[in-house]
Amino acid sequence: MSQQHSAAPAPTSAVSAVEGRPDWWRDAVIYQVYPRSFADGNGDGMGDLEGVRTRLPYLRDLGVDAVWLSPFYASPQADAGYDVADYRAVDPMFGTLLDADALIRDAHALGLRIIVDLVPNHSSDQYEWFKRALAEGPGSPSRDRYHFRPGKGKNGEQPPNDWESIFGGPAWTRVTEPDGTPGEWYLHLFAPEQPDFNWEHPAVGDEFRSILRFWLDMGVDGFRIDVAHGMVKAEGLPDLGDHEQLTLLGNDVMPFFDQDGVHDIYREWRLVLDEYSGDRIFVAEAWTPTVERTANYVRPDELHQAFNFQYLATHWDAAELRTVVNRTLDAMRPVGAPATWVLSNHDVTRHATRFANPAGLGTQIRLAGDREVGLRRARAATLLMLALPGSAYVYQGEELGLPDVVDLPDEVRQDPAYFRGAGQDGFRDGCRVPIPWTRTGPSYGFGDGGSWLPQPADWGGLSVEAQTGEPGSTLELYRAALAVRRERADLGAGDAVEWLRAPEGVLAFRRGEFVCVANTTGESVPMPAYGRVLLASGEITEAAGEAKVPADTTVWWSAS
Ligand code: NOJ
C-alpha cells in the first residue's frame, strides 16, 4: 500500500476551471466511470486513471456535463475500492496522484467537471487507524474511532447485537487481541474488511473535513458520498429484534441507516464546500425508505443532489412511473433541490437487462431475459428520464445498450457479496464487465492486456466503434438526446411536468414547448402528433396529425 500523500502535487488546480452557469448541476447529465472497467492505459487488464484521461474527449462528445469516478484510492480492493486504506493516495493499480491531477486538468480543459467518490461510513481494515486500534487493544482510545464492543454470552462468543451485514452474515467480527486471546467484536455493515467508523468521535469528523479539503484543493468539482445514510447509528446500537432485516432494508428507518443525526454532518460539510469557488457539489448515495426522506438530504444547507433510488427501482409501467415522478417532484419542491434520476449504476442490474425481467424481481436479480425487449425498454426509459426536470446520471456502457453479463464463471467473480452468500445477491460483477471500445482486438479496445472480467463474445458489435455513426444505434440515440438537452433549456429545467391525457400504459407530459410520450405497453398506440419529432427511441410513423408510437418507445416532440 503506498502512502503517496506526502508527495502530493502542488494543488495548482484549486479553482475549478470550468466556466458555466452557477447552477450547472441542477439539470446536469453526469456520467459514472467505474475506473477498473472503463479503459486500461497500461495494458495490465485493469482500467486506470490514464485510461480515463485518454477517453475524456469521448465523454465530451457524448455531451455529458460531468464525470463521477468510483473510488480509485489506495485500497486492498476487498470491495472494489470501497474499502479505502489511504484517502489521500491513488492506488498503484489506478496510477498516481499526478495522474489524478492530469485527469482533473484535462477534464476541465474540455469543459467537463470531475466528481470523486468519498467513502466515510467505513474504512479498510488496512487503514492506519484500524490497524492501530487492533494493536492497541481493548480500552485504548484508538478503538473509540470504530465500534468495538465486547460480545454477548458467557465468554463473549456471540456478536454484540443482531445486525446483519448488507453483504450477508453478521455485521460483527471478533478480533484476536494482541495477547492472542479472542476478544472484542467490531461493527462492519458491509464486508469484515470494511469496519464502520464511529462518527460520535470528533477525530472522525476532523479527518473527513480534512480529506474534503485535500480533494477540493486538487480541483475536484464535487463528491458522491458513499452510504450517505449510514454514518450515524442509533444510540446504544439496539437490536432489530424479531424484524427480518432484509425486508426492512430500504423500507424503513433502521438503527444503522437514515438516522436523523447524519444531517448534522452534512451541514458541517456544506460549510467547507462553500468556502471554495466554482459551484462544487455533493451527491448522496442514500437508500432511504421514501423520496420524502431522501429530500431531507438536499435541504438548502446540506447536500445538492441525492440519487432517486425509488425511481431506479420502478418497473417499466406507466402508472408506477407517473406516481414516482409526481411524488419525487412534490418531495423535492419544498426543499428547492432538483430531482436526480438514475437507471443504472455499478451495484444494480443494468436497465437493459432489468427491464426484460418479470416485474417484482427487484434491482439485484440478473436473468438473461429477452435482450431485444430489454434494450427497447431501456432506450425508451432513458429518453423518458432525460425529459424529466432535474439532473440525470448515466452509468458507463448504458449508452452502448450493454446488458448485464449473466453467465460469468464463479472463479472470476470478485464481488464480496458473492462470497458471503446472503443479503445482496452477489452478482454485481455482471454490470462491471469492462466496456468494449472497438469491434475487434484484445478486450475490444479496453486495453492491450486483456480484461479483469471476461467480456462476452458478441461485445465487438456493441462497441463504441461499431455504433458510432450508425443510424439508430443506442450510442447515437444518447448523443442525439444529450445534444437536444444542451440546445433546449426546457428539458432539464423547472420542477414540474404537465401531464397530458393518454391511453392506459402511456405517459405523456408537456414542459413548455416540449412534449414527451412514453409507451410502456407491448402494443403500438395512436397519439396526436404534438409538433415536430425531435427524437424517438423507435420508428414513429405519422399521418394526418396522428402518430403511431410503437411498443416500448418514447418520443420527444417540439411544438415549435
Ligand atoms: C455503495 C457502493 O456503491 C457499493 O459498491 C459498495 O459495496 C457499498 N456502498 C459499500 O461501500
Side-chain angles (χ1 to χ4, degrees):
M1 199 58 47
S2 66
Q3 296 289 322
Q4 298 174 40
H5 57 265
S6 51
T12 46
S13 47
V15 176
S16 173
V18 179
E19 297 289 327
R21 289 173 296 126
D23 278 351
W24 66 273
W25 47 276
R26 287 187 168 273
D27 59 0
V29 177
I30 302 179
Y31 185 96
Q32 180 188 357
V33 163
Y34 194 62
R36 50 168 57 214
S37 304
F38 187 67
D40 174 12
N42 65 0
D44 65 355
M46 184 61 75
D48 48 39
L49 295 185
E50 180 57 9
V52 181
R53 194 184 66 77
T54 56
R55 298 290 187 182
L56 287 172
Y58 165 78
L59 297 177
R60 190 252 338 255
D61 296 345
L62 183 61
V64 299
D65 301 290
V67 180
W68 148 38
L69 295 134
S70 281
F72 49 76
Y73 314 109
S75 160
Q77 306 290 322
D79 182 20
Y82 283 96
D83 49 317
V84 180
D86 187 342
Y87 290 85
R88 301 176 184 83
V90 173
D91 196 279
M93 77 184 227
F94 293 123
T96 64
L97 275 176
L98 287 171
D99 294 328
D101 186 57
L103 171 61
I104 295 166
R105 284 167 192 278
D106 281 20
H108 286 171
L110 292 170
L112 291 167
R113 292 179 160 89
I114 295 288
I115 293 172
V116 291
D117 214 314
L118 188 72
V119 190
N121 178 68
H122 45 262
S123 68
S124 157
D125 62 351
Q126 297 306 306
Y127 187 49
E128 272 322 308
W129 286 11
F130 191 74
K131 289 200 283 190
R132 206 182 314 150
L134 286 187
E136 290 179 1
S140 65
S142 53
R143 288 224 167 166
D144 292 343
R145 295 176 179 193
Y146 293 90
H147 296 280
F148 279 90
R149 295 284 185 283
K152 284 186 177 160
K154 208 157 118 243
N155 301 307
E157 69 283 4
Q158 287 160 23
N161 73 14
D162 62 1
W163 298 357
E164 286 163 33
S165 153
I166 307 303
F167 292 158
W172 296 88
T173 290
R174 194 172 196 187
V175 303
T176 302
E177 300 299 359
D179 66 3
T181 58
E184 292 187 319
W185 297 70
Y186 67 90
L187 176 69
H188 52 85
L189 291 180
F190 295 88
E193 296 89 350
Q194 295 168 294
D196 280 49
F197 282 115
N198 172 16
W199 272 86
E200 301 296 322
H201 195 300
V204 177
D206 290 347
E207 176 67 346
F208 273 91
R209 284 192 301 275
S210 155
I211 293 165
L212 285 177
R213 288 182 193 286
F214 178 87
W215 288 101
L216 289 166
D217 288 340
M218 286 277 292
V220 303
D221 302 281
F223 300 89
R224 177 261 190 191
I225 304 167
D226 187 61
V227 200
H229 54 314
M231 285 111 89
V232 172
K233 277 66 180 179
E235 209 180 322
L237 311 184
D239 277 335
L240 278 170
D242 290 338
H243 306 291
E244 181 57 47
Q245 178 168 311
L246 267 181
T247 53
L248 288 178
L249 267 183
N251 297 314
D252 214 336
V253 176
M254 311 285 280
F256 47 81
F257 278 160
D258 200 23
Q259 292 287 309
D260 290 337
V262 82
H263 298 287
D264 297 337
I265 300 171
Y266 298 136
R267 289 191 193 97
E268 288 185 7
W269 286 11
R270 182 61 183 260
L271 295 176
V272 174
L273 196 83
D274 285 350
E275 285 172 27
Y276 286 78
S277 62
D279 301 300
R280 309 184 200 205
I281 65 159
F282 288 118
V283 53
E285 188 227 11
W287 294 81
T288 68
T290 60
V291 279
E292 290 75 17
R293 287 206 63 97
T294 301
N296 290 338
Y297 290 75
V298 287
R299 288 178 283 202
D301 57 348
E302 296 192 40
L303 310 176
H304 299 77
Q305 301 181 329
F307 293 113
N308 185 345
F309 292 125
Q310 275 79 17
Y311 181 72
L312 183 149
T314 303
H315 308 124
W316 183 235
D317 175 281
E320 288 183 37
L321 285 163
R322 180 170 167 159
T323 303
V324 73
V325 167
N326 279 339
R327 226 175 130 171
T328 302
L329 296 174
D330 289 348
M332 295 296 151
R333 208 170 290 119
V335 292
T340 302
W341 313 102
V342 58
L343 289 168
S344 282
N345 65 32
H346 65 293
D347 289 331
V348 300
T349 314
R350 283 183 176 280
H351 61 288
T353 296
R354 200 171 70 234
F355 286 140
N357 286 346
L361 269 193
T363 59
Q364 295 276 327
I365 308 299
R366 289 147 164 98
L367 290 180
D370 181 332
R371 269 188 52 182
E372 206 185 303
V373 172
L375 180 59
R376 204 166 62 220
R377 291 181 178 167
R379 289 161 54 100
T382 296
L383 281 203
L384 171 62
M385 170 176 85
L386 292 175
L388 293 169
S391 172
Y393 279 71
V394 169
Y395 175 50
Q396 67 177 39
E398 71 169 76
E399 77 278 19
L400 305 175
L402 294 187
D404 251 53
V405 180
V406 293
D407 56 358
L408 286 171
D410 291 350
E411 59 277 13
V412 304
R413 290 182 188 287
Q414 301 210 5
D415 181 356
Y418 174 70
F419 301 101
R420 299 202 29 109
Q424 294 193 345
D425 77 354
F427 290 90
R428 295 180 302 173
D429 291 315
C431 62
R432 300 175 176 180
V433 173
I435 66 172
W437 293 90
T438 53
R439 274 204 185 86
T440 54
S443 66
Y444 304 109
F446 166 66
D448 294 334
S451 131
W452 67 279
L453 282 175
Q455 298 155 301
D458 62 352
W459 271 26
L462 296 173
S463 64
V464 172
E465 183 186 29
Q467 296 196 41
T468 294
E470 195 55 46
S473 74
T474 302
L475 177 57
E476 292 302 343
L477 180 72
Y478 270 73
R479 285 181 174 149
L482 296 177
V484 173
R485 238 182 112 102
R486 275 178 174 247
E487 274 158 28
R488 303 183 59 111
D490 48 350
L491 264 85
D495 61 9
V497 297
E498 180 198 336
W499 295 105
L500 302 173
R501 205 148 24 134
E504 203 181 322
V506 177
L507 288 170
F509 59 86
R510 181 188 296 283
R511 318 206 39 240
E513 296 278 277
F514 173 82
V515 172
C516 175
V517 171
N519 176 9
T520 69
T521 74
E523 310 291 330
S524 133
V525 289
M527 291 294 292
Y530 286 101
R532 181 167 57 91
V533 173
L534 289 171
L535 198 59
S537 66
E539 290 268 311
I540 306 297
T541 46
E542 282 184 329
E546 195 178 89
K548 274 206 180 350
V549 182
D552 298 321
T553 298
T554 297
V555 197
W556 290 0
W557 270 288
S558 175
S560 57

